[in-house]
Amino acid sequence: MKTIELIVPCYNEEEMVPIFYKEAKKVLEAMEADYEILFINDGSKDGTLEVLRKLNKEDRHVRYLSFSRNF
């Protein structure tokens, strides 16, 4: 089975991550492949990391990496 990995950079995207996740999940679930969404938190100063942690707990397809500062 094919696996699709969607890599998403994030910087201060607290409000947009849930919207993006919802729409991306719709498209990925319609495809005949396993998938993973990998969010890269690039040192956000807002609540982006908390949103990513919550999504990771709720959906096994969501993973994240978090950098301590913006690169």
Side-chain angles (χ1 to χ4, degrees), residues 28-41:
L28 291 166
E29 285 182 342
M31 303 174 98
E32 293 183 15
D34 194 20
Y35 68 91
E36 179 175 271
I37 305 172
L38 175 60
F39 290 96
I40 309 293
N41 180 35

Side-chain angles (χ1 to χ4, degrees), residues 6-24:
L6 184 60
I7 301 171
V8 186
C10 303
Y11 182 70
N12 294 335
E13 301 292 345
E14 177 181 12
E15 293 179 17
M16 293 308 298
V17 166
I19 297 166
F20 176 84
Y21 164 76
K22 181 181 173 184
E23 294 303 316

Side-chain angles (χ1 to χ4, degrees), residues 5 14 21 23-24 30 34 37 46-47 55 58 60 63-64:
E5 184 158 2
E14 177 181 12
Y21 164 76
E23 294 303 316
D34 194 20
I37 305 172
D46 63 356
L55 289 174
E58 294 173 356
R60 70 174 183 85
R63 291 185 353 172
Y64 67 91

Side-chain angles (χ1 to χ4, degrees), residues 25-71:
K25 185 173 176 153
K26 281 183 200 176
V27 172
L28 291 166
E29 285 182 342
M31 303 174 98
E32 293 183 15
D34 194 20
Y35 68 91
E36 179 175 271
I37 305 172
L38 175 60
F39 290 96
I40 309 293
N41 180 35
D42 196 10
S44 296
K45 300 197 184 307
D46 63 356
T48 299
L49 182 56
E50 289 76 22
V51 171
L52 297 178
R53 286 180 177 148
K54 181 179 179 213
L55 289 174
N56 175 254
K57 285 181 183 178
E58 294 173 356
D59 187 342
R60 70 174 183 85
H61 295 103
V62 174
R63 291 185 353 172
Y64 67 91
L65 294 174
S66 186
F67 298 133
S68 59
R69 63 183 180 90
N70 184 262
F71 291 95

